[in-house]
Amino acid sequence: MMIRGVIVHRSILFLALMGCAQMVEARPNFADTLNLGHSIVMVTTELPSGDNGRGSGVVVSKEYVATNCHVIANTNGANIAKFRDGYRPIAIKANWRRDLCLLKFDPLPFTPLPMRDSSTLQYEEEVFSLGFPAGANVPQPSYGNIKGKYMYDGSLIVRSDASFAMGSSGGALFDAQFNLIGITTFKSPGHDGFYYSLPVEWIKELMNAPETFSLKTQEVPFWALPLEQRPYFMRVVIPFQNKEWGTLKGIANQWIVQEPNSVDAWYFLGVAEEGTGELELAKLHLNKAYQLNRRDLDAMLALSRVAFAQKDVMALESLEAPVKDLNQDEGENIALKIKQLKLGS
């Protein structure tokens, strides 16, 4: 069956990638990686130019493989490959705006992955991704932590610092218990990129959608919309990275109006105020983020910077233990700041 579709226009800002109180060590051993790798497939495509494209896919049932729609858009056909064997889909299910597609097959000889809803995830949980970055013939892992969860279209987009690269779009993001918690989809530009995954709840919803045999569409994924139409969690990134504090402050304030309980909206507002030297306001708003989420390590670290600038030893001492619970090295850095201030007093 030949499946056809459209090419999703590349975003200037965001680049598509063909890419628990007690935390548990999330890094799988070799046997774990091998077992999980049985459920991660390479998606290959036939491009109109005659070249081949590739991405990643995740086995979510005996019949369905989840991937990003932009991986197979406007191709002359798509297959999955595993253990030197190829499989051709018999139908698809697609949500173009969400950039999530399910390829349907006759029952596959692979193990579906258990899924964990994004609403149960916590900031700073250890996670890892598996996918086929360019040139890799076996799934490659990358490790990190959950750094953000953003309400969008009825569920939560997951941000982590587990990096992924070209070829990894449609790959898997796992928690420490090897549950599928997201589909690796897009990142911000630059070396210190923000890495985003689609929630598994969208996979479950898509399984109930009607089947189709065409990928032709004029819809654009939400992350590739014009800048002013993108979610606030995307719009803050470039001003944050470029230290454009006035612009960041304006976007964060708009975000708070729309989502007054957004942890990251308050965090980015506080960081912008820190950048402009408004330390009392920064402390107020960073504390708001911390009160909303006691596992917001980034907010705590920003508060520690403000406290150090204000020579507030008591504030630093109150942050040392909770930071150390989440990140031993950062906790020790705060301890050093406390000693430095006490020696200077």
Side-chain angles (χ1 to χ4, degrees), residues 34-41 57-65 82-83 108-114 174 180:
L34 187 63
N35 287 333
L36 291 171
H38 291 171
S39 303
I40 311 299
V41 300
V58 180
V59 180
V60 293
S61 78
K62 284 295 185 181
E63 291 183 302
Y64 289 108
V65 168
K82 195 70 185 173
F83 307 126
L108 294 165
F110 308 128
T111 304
L113 291 167
F174 291 99
L180 179 67

mmCIF file with all atom_site columns, all heavy atoms in Angstrom, residues 34-41 57-65 82-83 108-114 174 180:
data_model
loop_
_atom_site.group_PDB
_atom_site.id
_atom_site.type_symbol
_atom_site.label_atom_id
_atom_site.label_alt_id
_atom_site.label_comp_id
_atom_site.label_asym_id
_atom_site.label_entity_id
_atom_site.label_seq_id
_atom_site.pdbx_PDB_ins_code
_atom_site.Cartn_x
_atom_site.Cartn_y
_atom_site.Cartn_z
_atom_site.occupancy
_atom_site.B_iso_or_equiv
_atom_site.pdbx_formal_charge
_atom_site.auth_seq_id
_atom_site.auth_comp_id
_atom_site.auth_asym_id
_atom_site.auth_atom_id
_atom_site.pdbx_PDB_model_num
ATOM 1   N N   . LEU A 1 34  ? 18.168 -3.988  25.801 1.00 0.00 ? 34  LEU A N   1
ATOM 2   C CA  . LEU A 1 34  ? 17.912 -4.957  24.737 1.00 0.00 ? 34  LEU A CA  1
ATOM 3   C C   . LEU A 1 34  ? 16.438 -5.331  24.688 1.00 0.00 ? 34  LEU A C   1
ATOM 4   O O   . LEU A 1 34  ? 15.821 -5.374  23.613 1.00 0.00 ? 34  LEU A O   1
ATOM 5   C CB  . LEU A 1 34  ? 18.772 -6.208  24.958 1.00 0.00 ? 34  LEU A CB  1
ATOM 6   C CG  . LEU A 1 34  ? 18.758 -7.253  23.841 1.00 0.00 ? 34  LEU A CG  1
ATOM 7   C CD1 . LEU A 1 34  ? 19.320 -6.667  22.552 1.00 0.00 ? 34  LEU A CD1 1
ATOM 8   C CD2 . LEU A 1 34  ? 19.560 -8.480  24.260 1.00 0.00 ? 34  LEU A CD2 1
ATOM 9   N N   . ASN A 1 35  ? 15.853 -5.574  25.853 1.00 0.00 ? 35  ASN A N   1
ATOM 10  C CA  . ASN A 1 35  ? 14.429 -5.944  25.900 1.00 0.00 ? 35  ASN A CA  1
ATOM 11  C C   . ASN A 1 35  ? 13.545 -4.793  25.421 1.00 0.00 ? 35  ASN A C   1
ATOM 12  O O   . ASN A 1 35  ? 12.603 -4.999  24.651 1.00 0.00 ? 35  ASN A O   1
ATOM 13  C CB  . ASN A 1 35  ? 14.045 -6.348  27.321 1.00 0.00 ? 35  ASN A CB  1
ATOM 14  C CG  . ASN A 1 35  ? 14.602 -7.706  27.703 1.00 0.00 ? 35  ASN A CG  1
ATOM 15  O OD1 . ASN A 1 35  ? 14.835 -8.561  26.845 1.00 0.00 ? 35  ASN A OD1 1
ATOM 16  N ND2 . ASN A 1 35  ? 14.829 -7.911  28.987 1.00 0.00 ? 35  ASN A ND2 1
ATOM 17  N N   . LEU A 1 36  ? 13.827 -3.581  25.893 1.00 0.00 ? 36  LEU A N   1
ATOM 18  C CA  . LEU A 1 36  ? 13.037 -2.433  25.465 1.00 0.00 ? 36  LEU A CA  1
ATOM 19  C C   . LEU A 1 36  ? 13.213 -2.170  23.973 1.00 0.00 ? 36  LEU A C   1
ATOM 20  O O   . LEU A 1 36  ? 12.277 -1.744  23.297 1.00 0.00 ? 36  LEU A O   1
ATOM 21  C CB  . LEU A 1 36  ? 13.437 -1.190  26.267 1.00 0.00 ? 36  LEU A CB  1
ATOM 22  C CG  . LEU A 1 36  ? 13.059 -1.190  27.742 1.00 0.00 ? 36  LEU A CG  1
ATOM 23  C CD1 . LEU A 1 36  ? 13.708 -0.002  28.449 1.00 0.00 ? 36  LEU A CD1 1
ATOM 24  C CD2 . LEU A 1 36  ? 11.552 -1.147  27.928 1.00 0.00 ? 36  LEU A CD2 1
ATOM 25  N N   . GLY A 1 37  ? 14.431 -2.422  23.485 1.00 0.00 ? 37  GLY A N   1
ATOM 26  C CA  . GLY A 1 37  ? 14.708 -2.205  22.072 1.00 0.00 ? 37  GLY A CA  1
ATOM 27  C C   . GLY A 1 37  ? 13.862 -3.054  21.156 1.00 0.00 ? 37  GLY A C   1
ATOM 28  O O   . GLY A 1 37  ? 13.664 -2.708  19.986 1.00 0.00 ? 37  GLY A O   1
ATOM 29  N N   . HIS A 1 38  ? 13.323 -4.165  21.671 1.00 0.00 ? 38  HIS A N   1
ATOM 30  C CA  . HIS A 1 38  ? 12.438 -5.006  20.869 1.00 0.00 ? 38  HIS A CA  1
ATOM 31  C C   . HIS A 1 38  ? 11.134 -4.282  20.522 1.00 0.00 ? 38  HIS A C   1
ATOM 32  O O   . HIS A 1 38  ? 10.431 -4.686  19.600 1.00 0.00 ? 38  HIS A O   1
ATOM 33  C CB  . HIS A 1 38  ? 12.114 -6.300  21.620 1.00 0.00 ? 38  HIS A CB  1
ATOM 34  C CG  . HIS A 1 38  ? 13.294 -7.212  21.760 1.00 0.00 ? 38  HIS A CG  1
ATOM 35  N ND1 . HIS A 1 38  ? 13.282 -8.334  22.555 1.00 0.00 ? 38  HIS A ND1 1
ATOM 36  C CD2 . HIS A 1 38  ? 14.524 -7.157  21.211 1.00 0.00 ? 38  HIS A CD2 1
ATOM 37  C CE1 . HIS A 1 38  ? 14.454 -8.938  22.485 1.00 0.00 ? 38  HIS A CE1 1
ATOM 38  N NE2 . HIS A 1 38  ? 15.226 -8.239  21.672 1.00 0.00 ? 38  HIS A NE2 1
ATOM 39  N N   . SER A 1 39  ? 10.829 -3.227  21.288 1.00 0.00 ? 39  SER A N   1
ATOM 40  C CA  . SER A 1 39  ? 9.581  -2.496  21.075 1.00 0.00 ? 39  SER A CA  1
ATOM 41  C C   . SER A 1 39  ? 9.786  -1.146  20.389 1.00 0.00 ? 39  SER A C   1
ATOM 42  O O   . SER A 1 39  ? 8.830  -0.393  20.208 1.00 0.00 ? 39  SER A O   1
ATOM 43  C CB  . SER A 1 39  ? 8.876  -2.275  22.420 1.00 0.00 ? 39  SER A CB  1
ATOM 44  O OG  . SER A 1 39  ? 8.634  -3.510  23.074 1.00 0.00 ? 39  SER A OG  1
ATOM 45  N N   . ILE A 1 40  ? 11.031 -0.833  20.016 1.00 0.00 ? 40  ILE A N   1
ATOM 46  C CA  . ILE A 1 40  ? 11.354 0.404   19.310 1.00 0.00 ? 40  ILE A CA  1
ATOM 47  C C   . ILE A 1 40  ? 11.758 0.041   17.887 1.00 0.00 ? 40  ILE A C   1
ATOM 48  O O   . ILE A 1 40  ? 12.647 -0.788  17.684 1.00 0.00 ? 40  ILE A O   1
ATOM 49  C CB  . ILE A 1 40  ? 12.509 1.164   19.998 1.00 0.00 ? 40  ILE A CB  1
ATOM 50  C CG1 . ILE A 1 40  ? 12.254 1.300   21.494 1.00 0.00 ? 40  ILE A CG1 1
ATOM 51  C CG2 . ILE A 1 40  ? 12.700 2.531   19.352 1.00 0.00 ? 40  ILE A CG2 1
ATOM 52  C CD1 . ILE A 1 40  ? 11.009 2.065   21.852 1.00 0.00 ? 40  ILE A CD1 1
ATOM 53  N N   . VAL A 1 41  ? 11.109 0.625   16.907 1.00 0.00 ? 41  VAL A N   1
ATOM 54  C CA  . VAL A 1 41  ? 11.357 0.250   15.511 1.00 0.00 ? 41  VAL A CA  1
ATOM 55  C C   . VAL A 1 41  ? 11.850 1.459   14.730 1.00 0.00 ? 41  VAL A C   1
ATOM 56  O O   . VAL A 1 41  ? 11.629 2.607   15.107 1.00 0.00 ? 41  VAL A O   1
ATOM 57  C CB  . VAL A 1 41  ? 10.079 -0.300  14.851 1.00 0.00 ? 41  VAL A CB  1
ATOM 58  C CG1 . VAL A 1 41  ? 9.581  -1.541  15.587 1.00 0.00 ? 41  VAL A CG1 1
ATOM 59  C CG2 . VAL A 1 41  ? 8.980  0.758   14.790 1.00 0.00 ? 41  VAL A CG2 1
ATOM 60  N N   . GLY A 1 57  ? 9.785  4.691   15.799 1.00 0.00 ? 57  GLY A N   1
ATOM 61  C CA  . GLY A 1 57  ? 8.419  4.327   16.136 1.00 0.00 ? 57  GLY A CA  1
ATOM 62  C C   . GLY A 1 57  ? 8.401  3.460   17.384 1.00 0.00 ? 57  GLY A C   1
ATOM 63  O O   . GLY A 1 57  ? 9.410  2.846   17.748 1.00 0.00 ? 57  GLY A O   1
ATOM 64  N N   . VAL A 1 58  ? 7.236  3.414   18.035 1.00 0.00 ? 58  VAL A N   1
ATOM 65  C CA  . VAL A 1 58  ? 7.085  2.705   19.301 1.00 0.00 ? 58  VAL A CA  1
ATOM 66  C C   . VAL A 1 58  ? 5.903  1.753   19.195 1.00 0.00 ? 58  VAL A C   1
ATOM 67  O O   . VAL A 1 58  ? 4.796  2.159   18.792 1.00 0.00 ? 58  VAL A O   1
ATOM 68  C CB  . VAL A 1 58  ? 6.850  3.700   20.462 1.00 0.00 ? 58  VAL A CB  1
ATOM 69  C CG1 . VAL A 1 58  ? 6.706  2.951   21.778 1.00 0.00 ? 58  VAL A CG1 1
ATOM 70  C CG2 . VAL A 1 58  ? 7.982  4.716   20.541 1.00 0.00 ? 58  VAL A CG2 1
ATOM 71  N N   . VAL A 1 59  ? 6.115  0.496   19.537 1.00 0.00 ? 59  VAL A N   1
ATOM 72  C CA  . VAL A 1 59  ? 5.049  -0.501  19.497 1.00 0.00 ? 59  VAL A CA  1
ATOM 73  C C   . VAL A 1 59  ? 4.138  -0.301  20.703 1.00 0.00 ? 59  VAL A C   1
ATOM 74  O O   . VAL A 1 59  ? 4.558  -0.468  21.851 1.00 0.00 ? 59  VAL A O   1
ATOM 75  C CB  . VAL A 1 59  ? 5.628  -1.929  19.498 1.00 0.00 ? 59  VAL A CB  1
ATOM 76  C CG1 . VAL A 1 59  ? 4.506  -2.958  19.459 1.00 0.00 ? 59  VAL A CG1 1
ATOM 77  C CG2 . VAL A 1 59  ? 6.568  -2.124  18.312 1.00 0.00 ? 59  VAL A CG2 1
ATOM 78  N N   . VAL A 1 60  ? 2.886  0.085   20.454 1.00 0.00 ? 60  VAL A N   1
ATOM 79  C CA  . VAL A 1 60  ? 1.957  0.372   21.542 1.00 0.00 ? 60  VAL A CA  1
ATOM 80  C C   . VAL A 1 60  ? 0.826  -0.648  21.636 1.00 0.00 ? 60  VAL A C   1
ATOM 81  O O   . VAL A 1 60  ? 0.029  -0.621  22.571 1.00 0.00 ? 60  VAL A O   1
ATOM 82  C CB  . VAL A 1 60  ? 1.381  1.802   21.417 1.00 0.00 ? 60  VAL A CB  1
ATOM 83  C CG1 . VAL A 1 60  ? 2.489  2.828   21.629 1.00 0.00 ? 60  VAL A CG1 1
ATOM 84  C CG2 . VAL A 1 60  ? 0.703  2.015   20.070 1.00 0.00 ? 60  VAL A CG2 1
ATOM 85  N N   . SER A 1 61  ? 0.723  -1.531  20.649 1.00 0.00 ? 61  SER A N   1
ATOM 86  C CA  . SER A 1 61  ? -0.198 -2.661  20.698 1.00 0.00 ? 61  SER A CA  1
ATOM 87  C C   . SER A 1 61  ? 0.283  -3.665  19.666 1.00 0.00 ? 61  SER A C   1
ATOM 88  O O   . SER A 1 61  ? 1.232  -3.392  18.917 1.00 0.00 ? 61  SER A O   1
ATOM 89  C CB  . SER A 1 61  ? -1.649 -2.239  20.414 1.00 0.00 ? 61  SER A CB  1
ATOM 90  O OG  . SER A 1 61  ? -1.845 -2.053  19.022 1.00 0.00 ? 61  SER A OG  1
ATOM 91  N N   . LYS A 1 62  ? -0.348 -4.811  19.608 1.00 0.00 ? 62  LYS A N   1
ATOM 92  C CA  . LYS A 1 62  ? 0.055  -5.818  18.624 1.00 0.00 ? 62  LYS A CA  1
ATOM 93  C C   . LYS A 1 62  ? -0.191 -5.342  17.193 1.00 0.00 ? 62  LYS A C   1
ATOM 94  O O   . LYS A 1 62  ? 0.410  -5.847  16.251 1.00 0.00 ? 62  LYS A O   1
ATOM 95  C CB  . LYS A 1 62  ? -0.707 -7.125  18.868 1.00 0.00 ? 62  LYS A CB  1
ATOM 96  C CG  . LYS A 1 62  ? -0.188 -7.920  20.060 1.00 0.00 ? 62  LYS A CG  1
ATOM 97  C CD  . LYS A 1 62  ? 1.242  -8.410  19.818 1.00 0.00 ? 62  LYS A CD  1
ATOM 98  C CE  . LYS A 1 62  ? 1.741  -9.302  20.931 1.00 0.00 ? 62  LYS A CE  1
ATOM 99  N NZ  . LYS A 1 62  ? 3.132  -9.758  20.704 1.00 0.00 ? 62  LYS A NZ  1
ATOM 100 N N   . GLU A 1 63  ? -1.057 -4.332  17.039 1.00 0.00 ? 63  GLU A N   1
ATOM 101 C CA  . GLU A 1 63  ? -1.385 -3.836  15.698 1.00 0.00 ? 63  GLU A CA  1
ATOM 102 C C   . GLU A 1 63  ? -0.826 -2.464  15.383 1.00 0.00 ? 63  GLU A C   1
ATOM 103 O O   . GLU A 1 63  ? -0.710 -2.106  14.207 1.00 0.00 ? 63  GLU A O   1
ATOM 104 C CB  . GLU A 1 63  ? -2.910 -3.777  15.524 1.00 0.00 ? 63  GLU A CB  1
ATOM 105 C CG  . GLU A 1 63  ? -3.597 -5.126  15.471 1.00 0.00 ? 63  GLU A CG  1
ATOM 106 C CD  . GLU A 1 63  ? -5.081 -4.976  15.232 1.00 0.00 ? 63  GLU A CD  1
ATOM 107 O OE1 . GLU A 1 63  ? -5.745 -4.300  16.052 1.00 0.00 ? 63  GLU A OE1 1
ATOM 108 O OE2 . GLU A 1 63  ? -5.570 -5.490  14.225 1.00 0.00 ? 63  GLU A OE2 1
ATOM 109 N N   . TYR A 1 64  ? -0.486 -1.682  16.400 1.00 0.00 ? 64  TYR A N   1
ATOM 110 C CA  . TYR A 1 64  ? -0.174 -0.278  16.158 1.00 0.00 ? 64  TYR A CA  1
ATOM 111 C C   . TYR A 1 64  ? 1.235  0.115   16.594 1.00 0.00 ? 64  TYR A C   1
ATOM 112 O O   . TYR A 1 64  ? 1.712  -0.285  17.666 1.00 0.00 ? 64  TYR A O   1
ATOM 113 C CB  . TYR A 1 64  ? -1.178 0.626   16.873 1.00 0.00 ? 64  TYR A CB  1
ATOM 114 C CG  . TYR A 1 64  ? -2.555 0.603   16.264 1.00 0.00 ? 64  TYR A CG  1
ATOM 115 C CD1 . TYR A 1 64  ? -3.617 -0.022  16.918 1.00 0.00 ? 64  TYR A CD1 1
ATOM 116 C CD2 . TYR A 1 64  ? -2.794 1.201   15.030 1.00 0.00 ? 64  TYR A CD2 1
ATOM 117 C CE1 . TYR A 1 64  ? -4.879 -0.058  16.350 1.00 0.00 ? 64  TYR A CE1 1
ATOM 118 C CE2 . TYR A 1 64  ? -4.052 1.180   14.456 1.00 0.00 ? 64  TYR A CE2 1
ATOM 119 C CZ  . TYR A 1 64  ? -5.097 0.549   15.121 1.00 0.00 ? 64  TYR A CZ  1
ATOM 120 O OH  . TYR A 1 64  ? -6.346 0.527   14.560 1.00 0.00 ? 64  TYR A OH  1
ATOM 121 N N   . VAL A 1 65  ? 1.854  0.930   15.755 1.00 0.00 ? 65  VAL A N   1
ATOM 122 C CA  . VAL A 1 65  ? 3.131  1.575   16.055 1.00 0.00 ? 65  VAL A CA  1
ATOM 123 C C   . VAL A 1 65  ? 2.892  3.084   16.037 1.00 0.00 ? 65  VAL A C   1
ATOM 124 O O   . VAL A 1 65  ? 2.391  3.635   15.049 1.00 0.00 ? 65  VAL A O   1
ATOM 125 C CB  . VAL A 1 65  ? 4.210  1.194   15.023 1.00 0.00 ? 65  VAL A CB  1
ATOM 126 C CG1 . VAL A 1 65  ? 5.444  2.087   15.168 1.00 0.00 ? 65  VAL A CG1 1
ATOM 127 C CG2 . VAL A 1 65  ? 4.588  -0.271  15.170 1.00 0.00 ? 65  VAL A CG2 1
ATOM 128 N N   . LYS A 1 82  ? 12.763 -3.984  11.685 1.00 0.00 ? 82  LYS A N   1
ATOM 129 C CA  . LYS A 1 82  ? 13.250 -4.519  12.944 1.00 0.00 ? 82  LYS A CA  1
ATOM 130 C C   . LYS A 1 82  ? 13.916 -5.856  12.676 1.00 0.00 ? 82  LYS A C   1
ATOM 131 O O   . LYS A 1 82  ? 13.341 -6.726  12.007 1.00 0.00 ? 82  LYS A O   1
ATOM 132 C CB  . LYS A 1 82  ? 12.096 -4.699  13.943 1.00 0.00 ? 82  LYS A CB  1
ATOM 133 C CG  . LYS A 1 82  ? 12.564 -4.914  15.369 1.00 0.00 ? 82  LYS A CG  1
ATOM 134 C CD  . LYS A 1 82  ? 13.162 -3.639  15.908 1.00 0.00 ? 82  LYS A CD  1
ATOM 135 C CE  . LYS A 1 82  ? 13.752 -3.808  17.277 1.00 0.00 ? 82  LYS A CE  1
ATOM 136 N NZ  . LYS A 1 82  ? 14.472 -2.600  17.704 1.00 0.00 ? 82  LYS A NZ  1
ATOM 137 N N   . PHE A 1 83  ? 15.128 -6.014  13.199 1.00 0.00 ? 83  PHE A N   1
ATOM 138 C CA  . PHE A 1 83  ? 15.856 -7.277  13.036 1.00 0.00 ? 83  PHE A CA  1
ATOM 139 C C   . PHE A 1 83  ? 15.959 -7.672  11.561 1.00 0.00 ? 83  PHE A C   1
ATOM 140 O O   . PHE A 1 83  ? 15.754 -8.819  11.195 1.00 0.00 ? 83  PHE A O   1
ATOM 141 C CB  . PHE A 1 83  ? 15.195 -8.397  13.835 1.00 0.00 ? 83  PHE A CB  1
ATOM 142 C CG  . PHE A 1 83  ? 14.978 -8.068  15.279 1.00 0.00 ? 83  PHE A CG  1
ATOM 143 C CD1 . PHE A 1 83  ? 13.719 -8.187  15.842 1.00 0.00 ? 83  PHE A CD1 1
ATOM 144 C CD2 . PHE A 1 83  ? 16.027 -7.629  16.066 1.00 0.00 ? 83  PHE A CD2 1
ATOM 145 C CE1 . PHE A 1 83  ? 13.517 -7.885  17.184 1.00 0.00 ? 83  PHE A CE1 1
ATOM 146 C CE2 . PHE A 1 83  ? 15.827 -7.322  17.405 1.00 0.00 ? 83  PHE A CE2 1
ATOM 147 C CZ  . PHE A 1 83  ? 14.570 -7.451  17.972 1.00 0.00 ? 83  PHE A CZ  1
ATOM 148 N N   . LEU A 1 108 ? 1.780  -7.739  14.968 1.00 0.00 ? 108 LEU A N   1
ATOM 149 C CA  . LEU A 1 108 ? 3.234  -7.711  14.912 1.00 0.00 ? 108 LEU A CA  1
ATOM 150 C C   . LEU A 1 108 ? 3.850  -8.667  15.932 1.00 0.00 ? 108 LEU A C   1
ATOM 151 O O   . LEU A 1 108 ? 3.278  -8.874  17.006 1.00 0.00 ? 108 LEU A O   1
ATOM 152 C CB  . LEU A 1 108 ? 3.739  -6.287  15.202 1.00 0.00 ? 108 LEU A CB  1
ATOM 153 C CG  . LEU A 1 108 ? 3.395  -5.219  14.170 1.00 0.00 ? 108 LEU A CG  1
ATOM 154 C CD1 . LEU A 1 108 ? 3.619  -3.827  14.749 1.00 0.00 ? 108 LEU A CD1 1
ATOM 155 C CD2 . LEU A 1 108 ? 4.238  -5.404  12.910 1.00 0.00 ? 108 LEU A CD2 1
ATOM 156 N N   . PRO A 1 109 ? 5.040  -9.203  15.653 1.00 0.00 ? 109 PRO A N   1
ATOM 157 C CA  . PRO A 1 109 ? 5.691  -10.123 16.588 1.00 0.00 ? 109 PRO A CA  1
ATOM 158 C C   . PRO A 1 109 ? 6.547  -9.388  17.623 1.00 0.00 ? 109 PRO A C   1
ATOM 159 O O   . PRO A 1 109 ? 7.613  -9.873  18.012 1.00 0.00 ? 109 PRO A O   1
ATOM 160 C CB  . PRO A 1 109 ? 6.564  -10.972 15.665 1.00 0.00 ? 109 PRO A CB  1
ATOM 161 C CG  . PRO A 1 109 ? 6.952  -10.038 14.574 1.00 0.00 ? 109 PRO A CG  1
ATOM 162 C CD  . PRO A 1 109 ? 5.753  -9.141  14.357 1.00 0.00 ? 109 PRO A CD  1
ATOM 163 N N   . PHE A 1 110 ? 6.079  -8.205  18.066 1.00 0.00 ? 110 PHE A N   1
ATOM 164 C CA  . PHE A 1 110 ? 6.833  -7.408  19.019 1.00 0.00 ? 110 PHE A CA  1
ATOM 165 C C   . PHE A 1 110 ? 5.999  -7.156  20.270 1.00 0.00 ? 110 PHE A C   1
ATOM 166 O O   . PHE A 1 110 ? 4.766  -7.239  20.241 1.00 0.00 ? 110 PHE A O   1
ATOM 167 C CB  . PHE A 1 110 ? 7.252  -6.072  18.396 1.00 0.00 ? 110 PHE A CB  1
ATOM 168 C CG  . PHE A 1 110 ? 7.956  -6.218  17.080 1.00 0.00 ? 110 PHE A CG  1
ATOM 169 C CD1 . PHE A 1 110 ? 7.531  -5.505  15.971 1.00 0.00 ? 110 PHE A CD1 1
ATOM 170 C CD2 . PHE A 1 110 ? 9.027  -7.077  16.939 1.00 0.00 ? 110 PHE A CD2 1
ATOM 171 C CE1 . PHE A 1 110 ? 8.166  -5.628  14.749 1.00 0.00 ? 110 PHE A CE1 1
ATOM 172 C CE2 . PHE A 1 110 ? 9.682  -7.221  15.725 1.00 0.00 ? 110 PHE A CE2 1
ATOM 173 C CZ  . PHE A 1 110 ? 9.249  -6.501  14.622 1.00 0.00 ? 110 PHE A CZ  1
ATOM 174 N N   . THR A 1 111 ? 6.669  -6.796  21.343 1.00 0.00 ? 111 THR A N   1
ATOM 175 C CA  . THR A 1 111 ? 6.006  -6.608  22.634 1.00 0.00 ? 111 THR A CA  1
ATOM 176 C C   . THR A 1 111 ? 5.531  -5.165  22.787 1.00 0.00 ? 111 THR A C   1
ATOM 177 O O   . THR A 1 111 ? 6.353  -4.246  22.750 1.00 0.00 ? 111 THR A O   1
ATOM 178 C CB  . THR A 1 111 ? 6.965  -6.947  23.779 1.00 0.00 ? 111 THR A CB  1
ATOM 179 O OG1 . THR A 1 111 ? 7.441  -8.282  23.606 1.00 0.00 ? 111 THR A OG1 1
ATOM 180 C CG2 . THR A 1 111 ? 6.263  -6.814  25.126 1.00 0.00 ? 111 THR A CG2 1
ATOM 181 N N   . PRO A 1 112 ? 4.235  -4.929  22.985 1.00 0.00 ? 112 PRO A N   1
ATOM 182 C CA  . PRO A 1 112 ? 3.760  -3.562  23.242 1.00 0.00 ? 112 PRO A CA  1
ATOM 183 C C   . PRO A 1 112 ? 4.291  -3.059  24.587 1.00 0.00 ? 112 PRO A C   1
ATOM 184 O O   . PRO A 1 112 ? 4.493  -3.835  25.522 1.00 0.00 ? 112 PRO A O   1
ATOM 185 C CB  . PRO A 1 112 ? 2.232  -3.710  23.269 1.00 0.00 ? 112 PRO A CB  1
ATOM 186 C CG  . PRO A 1 112 ? 1.951  -5.024  22.607 1.00 0.00 ? 112 PRO A CG  1
ATOM 187 C CD  . PRO A 1 112 ? 3.118  -5.890  22.897 1.00 0.00 ? 112 PRO A CD  1
ATOM 188 N N   . LEU A 1 113 ? 4.495  -1.749  24.671 1.00 0.00 ? 113 LEU A N   1
ATOM 189 C CA  . LEU A 1 113 ? 5.023  -1.150  25.890 1.00 0.00 ? 113 LEU A CA  1
ATOM 190 C C   . LEU A 1 113 ? 3.908  -0.729  26.836 1.00 0.00 ? 113 LEU A C   1
ATOM 191 O O   . LEU A 1 113 ? 2.881  -0.201  26.394 1.00 0.00 ? 113 LEU A O   1
ATOM 192 C CB  . LEU A 1 113 ? 5.863  0.078   25.538 1.00 0.00 ? 113 LEU A CB  1
ATOM 193 C CG  . LEU A 1 113 ? 7.190  -0.209  24.817 1.00 0.00 ? 113 LEU A CG  1
ATOM 194 C CD1 . LEU A 1 113 ? 7.750  1.075   24.240 1.00 0.00 ? 113 LEU A CD1 1
ATOM 195 C CD2 . LEU A 1 113 ? 8.177  -0.855  25.772 1.00 0.00 ? 113 LEU A CD2 1
ATOM 196 N N   . PRO A 1 114 ? 4.090  -0.919  28.146 1.00 0.00 ? 114 PRO A N   1
ATOM 197 C CA  . PRO A 1 114 ? 3.128  -0.362  29.104 1.00 0.00 ? 114 PRO A CA  1
ATOM 198 C C   . PRO A 1 114 ? 3.232  1.153   29.109 1.00 0.00 ? 114 PRO A C   1
ATOM 199 O O   . PRO A 1 114 ? 4.322  1.716   28.921 1.00 0.00 ? 114 PRO A O   1
ATOM 200 C CB  . PRO A 1 114 ? 3.575  -0.963  30.445 1.00 0.00 ? 114 PRO A CB  1
ATOM 201 C CG  . PRO A 1 114 ? 5.031  -1.232  30.266 1.00 0.00 ? 114 PRO A CG  1
ATOM 202 C CD  . PRO A 1 114 ? 5.211  -1.608  28.809 1.00 0.00 ? 114 PRO A CD  1
ATOM 203 N N   . PHE A 1 174 ? 10.967 7.026   28.514 1.00 0.00 ? 174 PHE A N   1
ATOM 204 C CA  . PHE A 1 174 ? 10.621 6.068   29.562 1.00 0.00 ? 174 PHE A CA  1
ATOM 205 C C   . PHE A 1 174 ? 10.848 6.652   30.946 1.00 0.00 ? 174 PHE A C   1
ATOM 206 O O   . PHE A 1 174 ? 11.736 7.490   31.144 1.00 0.00 ? 174 PHE A O   1
ATOM 207 C CB  . PHE A 1 174 ? 11.497 4.814   29.452 1.00 0.00 ? 174 PHE A CB  1
ATOM 208 C CG  . PHE A 1 174 ? 11.232 3.962   28.242 1.00 0.00 ? 174 PHE A CG  1
ATOM 209 C CD1 . PHE A 1 174 ? 12.042 4.064   27.127 1.00 0.00 ? 174 PHE A CD1 1
ATOM 210 C CD2 . PHE A 1 174 ? 10.182 3.055   28.230 1.00 0.00 ? 174 PHE A CD2 1
ATOM 211 C CE1 . PHE A 1 174 ? 11.818 3.266   26.011 1.00 0.00 ? 174 PHE A CE1 1
ATOM 212 C CE2 . PHE A 1 174 ? 9.950  2.266   27.119 1.00 0.00 ? 174 PHE A CE2 1
ATOM 213 C CZ  . PHE A 1 174 ? 10.768 2.368   26.013 1.00 0.00 ? 174 PHE A CZ  1
ATOM 214 N N   . LEU A 1 180 ? 6.361  3.559   29.140 1.00 0.00 ? 180 LEU A N   1
ATOM 215 C CA  . LEU A 1 180 ? 6.362  4.596   28.114 1.00 0.00 ? 180 LEU A CA  1
ATOM 216 C C   . LEU A 1 180 ? 5.622  5.811   28.659 1.00 0.00 ? 180 LEU A C   1
ATOM 217 O O   . LEU A 1 180 ? 4.464  5.708   29.070 1.00 0.00 ? 180 LEU A O   1
ATOM 218 C CB  . LEU A 1 180 ? 5.671  4.091   26.848 1.00 0.00 ? 180 LEU A CB  1
ATOM 219 C CG  . LEU A 1 180 ? 5.574  5.083   25.685 1.00 0.00 ? 180 LEU A CG  1
ATOM 220 C CD1 . LEU A 1 180 ? 6.954  5.395   25.118 1.00 0.00 ? 180 LEU A CD1 1
ATOM 221 C CD2 . LEU A 1 180 ? 4.638  4.547   24.601 1.00 0.00 ? 180 LEU A CD2 1
#
